[in-house]
Amino acid sequence: MLQEDNDSCSDYGSRDKPGTALGRTVPDGNVLFPDIFHTDHLLLYERFKAYQDYILADCKASEVKEFIAEYLEKVLEPSGWQAVWRTNVFEVLVEDVEYSALKAVVQLSEPFLCESQVSTFTLECMQELLKLKECQIPLQELWVVYDESGEFDQTALAVEHVRFFYQCIWRIWDEEEEDDFDYFVRCVEPRLRLHYDILEHRVPSGLVADYQNLLSQCEELYRNFLNVRNSISSSDSDSEVENVSMVEGLKLYEKIEHLKQKLKLIENPLLRYVFGYQKYSGLQAKGPRPTGTKIVHVVSSTMMASLLQSLIRDKLCPDSCGEELEIQFHSDPLAAVNACYEGDTVIICPGHYVVDGIFCIADSVELEGYGLPDDIVIEKRGKGDNYFDCAGPNIRISNLKIVQHDAVEGILNVHHGKTTLENCVLQCETTGITVRTSAELLMKNSDLYGAKGAGVEIYPGSTCALLNNGIHHCKEGILIKNFLDEHYDIPKITLVNNMIHNNEGYGVVLVRPTVPSVKDASAERTKGDTQPTQSSDGTACVEGFRQEQLPECLTDELELYEQAEIPEQIEGNYEIANELGATSLKKSQMHKKRLSELGITEADDNLMSQEVFVSIVGNQFKWNGKGSFGTFLF
C-alpha cells in the first residue's frame, strides 16, 4: 500500500515504508518458473496517487508517452533483472532485461523455460521471434521475477502501472484529442474510477456489457478511420477514388465521435444512469388475468388459525369488499408478486422474509404489509443489479420494511407509471429510490436511510412528491438531475414536511450543466420582483411554486396539509426554490429561442409551467455535512 507523502518519485514503493512491500505470486503452470511480484491487487487510491503525483501529473494527451518515459527513467532498474514474458499464447522466462523507450531488450533465459498452449514454441522458434522483434518487447508484457532483497520492488510497480495504464486507461484516439485540458482530470480519473466501480460490482452488469461493446466498436471504427486517412495522405492525385475515401472518412469520424460521447457519459458517474442505460424500457405488463378475476395473494411463512381469523375479519371478509374473493397462499413474497396480474393485491403477514431475486412489477398491483413495518421485513440476499423495479400504471406499496444487501443499484427504481410508497422503512445500501424520466413517485410517512449515494434520485421529466418522510444518514439526501436540454423536461417536485438530516453531504443537491447566464437569469428574476413570499395560507413559494400548480393526481394527497398549521420556514426551503427558479427560467428562455428559430412566434412565456418545485413547505434540514442545499455543475 502506498503512503501519502510528498517525497520524490524515487522513494515511491520503497520497502522501508509500512505497507509498500510487495507479495509474490506462484505460477500455476510450469513449476520450474520462478515466482513473480504480485502487483495487480493495488487499490484505487494507490493507482490514483501514482498517476497523479508521479507519472502523469498535469500533462496533456500528446505528452503522455514523454511523461511515462521520464518516470520510468527515474524508477526502473536499467538492466540485470529477470521477467516472465507473457502473451495470450505463451509464457517464457527472459533475463538481462534492459529498458529502452517503453520497451525492454531481453534475452532468453538459460535453461530455456517456456509454457504454451501449442508445442510449436521451441527454443529455435522463440529465438527467431525475438530476432524479428529486434529483441524488443513492450514493457507491459513483462512480469518482474520476485526478489526478496527489495531491489526490484520499484521496477515491478512501475511495470505494473505502465501495463495497467495501456490496458485499462489509454485509448488509441487519446493522443489526437484536444490538449486544452489536463489529461489526468479529463480521462484518467473517470476511467480509473469506473474500472474500480466495475471491479467492486457497483455498476450494473448490463451497463458494463454496453460499455465494453461500445469500446470495441469505437476501437474498430477508429482503426478503419486510420486506414482510410492513411490511404488519402499517401495519394498524390485528386481522383474520384480519393474523394470517395474522404466522404467515407468523414462518416467514420462522425460515428466515432458519437460513440466517444457515449463512452464519456458512462465514465461520468453522475450521468451514466441517465443517458447510458435503458435496460428496463422493455418491462412487459401481463394485463388482466384471462379469466377476468382478481386474486388476493396472502404471504406467510406459517399460517396460524388466529392469524387467519384476523385476516378474514380485517382484510378478506366479503362484507368489507362487497364481493367474493379468490385467495392464494404463498410462503415467499417474490413468488406472490410474480403470480400477480393487473389489479391483484398481495398481503404480507408479519415475519422476516429473505428473498434472492428482483421484484419486477409492471402491472397495477398493491403490496400491503399486515401490521407495522418493523414486523414485516423483506430482506434481499445475494448480489444483484436491482431490488424493486416498478413500471406499472398504479403500484402501491405500504407497511413494509425493505432491507437491501450486496446491491449494485438502488433499493427501488420507478421506471414508468406511478408508484405510491406509504408507511414504509427502507434500509438502503447503494442509492435509495430512483425516479426515472416520465415516472411518478408519491412517498408518504416513510423512513429512508443508509444509502451510499443519494436517498432519492429524481431524473428529468419525472414527477415526485415527498410528504412527511425522514431521509437521513445517506451520502446526499435528495439528488435532482435537472438538465437544460431539449430532450428532457424539468422534473416536477413536491416537498412537504420532510425531515432531511444527518446526511454526509447536502440535504438537497441540484445537478445541472454549467450555464454562465444562469446568474443573469437569476438577476433578471430578482429585478422582476419574484422573490420568495409567504402566501396567505402560510405556504412558502417563489412565483410559480404554489400548491395549485400540483398535478391533479397529487391535489387530493395535499389537501390534509393545506389545513394544517405550517411552522416557521426552516432555512433551506427558500434557497432551494431560488436556485431552481433561476435554472428553470434559463430553460424557458432556451425553449423560447428554439421555437423562435423554427419560426414559431407563439412561445409559452409562462414560467410556472417550467418550474421544478410545485410546492416546498415545512421541510427541516438538520446536521447535514455540507448544508441544506448545493449545486453540482458539470
Side-chain angles (χ1 to χ4, degrees):
M1 187 177 295
L2 306 181
Q3 299 301 301
E4 294 290 342
D5 57 62
N6 296 316
D7 295 342
S8 66
C9 62
S10 61
D11 294 331
Y12 178 71
S14 174
R15 288 178 66 90
D16 61 357
K17 297 181 181 180
T20 60
L22 297 175
R24 64 203 298 172
T25 299
V26 180
D28 295 330
N30 193 327
V31 294
L32 297 177
F33 270 76
D35 297 349
I36 60 175
F37 279 102
H38 182 47
T39 57
D40 58 359
H41 65 297
L42 300 181
L43 302 176
L44 167 64
Y45 89 92
E46 293 179 286
R47 296 194 192 275
F48 187 97
K49 179 180 175 65
Y51 293 125
Q52 185 183 50
D53 295 351
Y54 300 103
I55 303 176
L56 301 175
D58 57 353
C59 75
K60 299 176 181 179
S62 58
E63 301 171 331
V64 166
K65 290 181 181 178
E66 178 186 340
F67 272 62
I68 291 178
E70 183 179 344
Y71 162 75
L72 291 174
E73 286 177 3
K74 293 179 180 179
V75 301
L76 211 64
E77 287 295 326
S79 62
W81 41 283
Q82 285 188 313
V84 175
W85 177 19
R86 183 180 295 172
T87 68
N88 293 331
V89 291
F90 66 82
E91 293 184 11
V92 62
L93 184 65
V94 295
E95 59 186 11
D96 293 331
V97 180
E98 294 184 9
Y99 162 70
S100 174
L102 295 182
K103 290 191 176 183
V105 179
V106 303
Q107 295 181 14
L108 297 175
S109 67
E110 295 183 4
F112 174 67
L113 288 177
C114 180
E115 177 139 339
S116 66
Q117 300 173 0
V118 291
S119 58
T120 56
F121 288 96
T122 62
L123 174 60
E124 292 74 18
C125 290
M126 293 304 301
Q127 287 174 336
E128 185 66 25
L129 180 60
L130 278 178
K131 186 177 179 180
L132 291 172
K133 289 179 169 288
E134 298 179 348
C135 295
Q136 292 189 345
I137 298 171
L139 200 62
Q140 56 264 35
E141 293 182 6
L142 296 179
W143 273 257
V144 180
V145 169
Y146 183 79
D147 185 280
E148 291 184 351
S149 69
E151 182 180 356
F152 301 112
D153 280 24
Q154 292 184 58
T155 297
L157 273 173
V159 172
E160 168 62 26
H161 287 314
V162 172
R163 176 170 43 250
F164 181 87
F165 175 79
Y166 281 107
Q167 285 181 351
C168 303
I169 304 297
W170 181 254
R171 307 287 184 251
I172 57 176
W173 53 81
D174 280 354
E175 199 165 10
E176 298 189 8
E177 291 274 308
E178 293 182 10
D179 274 346
D180 297 338
F181 300 100
D182 184 339
Y183 178 70
F184 178 84
V185 174
R186 181 167 56 88
C187 297
V188 178
E189 181 177 357
R191 292 172 187 170
L192 184 61
R193 292 189 184 279
L194 175 62
H195 175 84
Y196 275 87
D197 282 346
I198 292 172
L199 199 65
E200 296 168 10
H201 306 290
R202 288 198 293 264
V203 180
S205 56
L207 184 56
V208 175
D210 288 347
Y211 182 74
Q212 293 171 344
N213 184 46
L214 288 169
L215 192 56
S216 299
Q217 288 181 48
C218 199
E219 288 175 346
E220 182 180 356
L221 287 174
Y222 192 76
R223 290 189 183 95
N224 294 337
F225 171 75
L226 290 179
N227 292 334
V228 172
R229 189 175 68 178
N230 291 337
S231 68
I232 296 173
S233 60
S234 61
S235 174
D236 295 331
S237 63
D238 189 16
S239 64
E240 184 178 346
V241 175
E242 183 179 344
N243 292 335
V244 171
S245 297
M246 290 184 67
V247 172
E248 182 185 354
L250 288 172
K251 289 181 179 178
L252 283 172
Y253 181 79
E254 289 178 0
K255 290 179 180 178
I256 291 166
E257 288 300 308
H258 182 65
L259 291 175
K260 282 161 64 175
Q261 287 303 315
K262 286 187 175 181
L263 289 170
K264 289 177 182 178
L265 291 170
I266 296 176
E267 288 164 359
N268 187 316
L270 290 169
L271 302 180
R272 66 175 64 131
Y273 293 105
V274 179
F275 300 101
Y277 200 49
Q278 300 295 334
K279 179 179 178 182
Y280 291 94
S281 59
L283 262 180
Q284 296 297 317
K286 293 181 181 179
R289 189 173 277 101
T291 60
T293 58
K294 295 180 181 179
I295 294 177
V296 176
H297 303 265
V298 177
V299 180
S300 181
S301 52
T302 56
M303 181 58 70
M304 307 300 291
S306 58
L307 177 60
L308 184 58
Q309 288 176 344
S310 299
L311 273 172
I312 292 173
R313 182 185 68 244
D314 298 336
K315 298 291 181 182
L316 308 178
C317 179
D319 295 338
S320 63
C321 59
E323 59 182 12
E324 192 71 21
L325 293 176
E326 182 177 342
I327 303 169
Q328 290 184 6
F329 291 91
H330 308 264
S331 59
D332 178 17
L334 184 57
V337 169
N338 289 339
C340 284
Y341 282 78
E342 179 76 17
D344 283 5
T345 300
V346 178
I347 299 175
I348 305 176
C349 297
H352 192 117
Y353 303 91
V354 178
V355 299
D356 190 355
I358 304 172
F359 289 86
C360 295
I361 310 172
D363 294 280
S364 294
V365 173
E366 182 174 347
L367 276 70
E368 178 184 357
Y370 181 54
L372 298 175
D374 286 339
D375 298 328
I376 306 128
V377 180
I378 302 178
E379 182 177 356
K380 188 179 191 304
R381 293 292 187 185
K383 291 189 176 181
D385 286 353
N386 301 83
Y387 194 175
F388 277 79
D389 283 308
C390 300
N394 194 4
I395 298 169
R396 186 179 182 87
I397 302 172
S398 60
N399 303 328
L400 297 176
K401 181 174 183 179
I402 303 171
V403 180
Q404 180 187 43
H405 293 293
D406 295 324
V408 176
E409 285 199 344
I411 197 166
L412 188 148
N413 285 284
V414 186
H415 297 278
H416 304 290
K418 178 185 178 182
T419 295
T420 299
L421 195 69
E422 184 172 6
N423 198 32
C424 288
V425 176
L426 294 94
Q427 180 179 315
C428 308
E429 187 168 274
T430 54
T431 299
I433 298 175
T434 302
V435 191
R436 297 191 181 272
T437 302
S438 302
E440 182 180 338
L441 171 72
L442 171 58
M443 179 176 171
K444 302 189 296 182
N445 304 317
S446 296
D447 193 50
L448 185 153
Y449 60 91
K452 293 177 183 176
V456 180
E457 281 192 11
I458 303 172
Y459 279 65
S462 64
T463 300
C464 182
L466 305 177
L467 318 175
N468 252 20
N469 303 292
I471 300 173
H472 56 97
H473 294 92
C474 303
K475 185 175 182 181
E476 308 287 352
I478 300 170
L479 180 64
I480 303 168
K481 298 183 176 181
N482 180 28
F483 297 96
L484 293 177
D485 189 282
E486 63 270 18
H487 301 297
Y488 295 93
D489 293 329
I490 285 177
K492 302 287 187 181
I493 303 171
T494 301
L495 292 182
V496 175
N497 292 353
N498 298 285
M499 182 68 173
I500 303 170
H501 65 95
N502 288 104
N503 296 292
E504 181 182 337
Y506 292 101
V508 177
V509 176
L510 170 67
V511 180
R512 62 173 175 80
T514 303
V515 182
S517 55
V518 166
K519 289 183 179 179
D520 299 335
S522 181
E524 288 180 20
R525 189 171 54 82
T526 302
K527 291 178 182 178
D529 194 25
T530 53
Q531 291 295 321
T533 58
Q534 192 80 7
S535 63
S536 58
D537 62 355
T539 301
C541 57
V542 176
E543 185 175 0
F545 296 153
R546 294 184 182 275
Q547 291 185 8
E548 57 264 27
Q549 298 298 324
L550 283 171
E552 215 174 281
C553 58
L554 298 178
T555 304
D556 295 339
E557 302 290 349
L558 286 176
E559 284 182 353
L560 295 175
Y561 296 97
E562 289 181 353
Q563 304 301 324
E565 181 181 353
I566 303 298
E568 183 179 353
Q569 295 302 305
I570 307 300
E571 181 181 356
N573 291 275
Y574 289 154
E575 186 182 0
I576 297 169
N578 275 328
E579 178 68 23
L580 287 160
T583 307
S584 300
L585 178 59
K586 178 60 183 174
K587 173 156 185 173
S588 178
Q589 292 171 343
M590 290 171 63
H591 178 65
K592 182 178 179 180
K593 182 180 178 182
R594 282 193 295 270
L595 290 178
S596 178
E597 290 172 352
L598 292 171
I600 302 173
T601 56
E602 295 182 1
D604 182 10
D605 288 326
N606 183 8
L607 178 61
M608 296 182 188
S609 64
Q610 295 292 329
E611 293 297 358
V612 172
F613 276 101
V614 288
S615 182
I616 173 167
V617 196
N619 303 285
Q620 297 187 50
F621 302 88
K622 293 185 177 181
W623 310 300
N624 295 297
K626 295 182 179 178
S628 60
F629 179 68
T631 303
F632 180 88
L633 304 176
F634 67 92

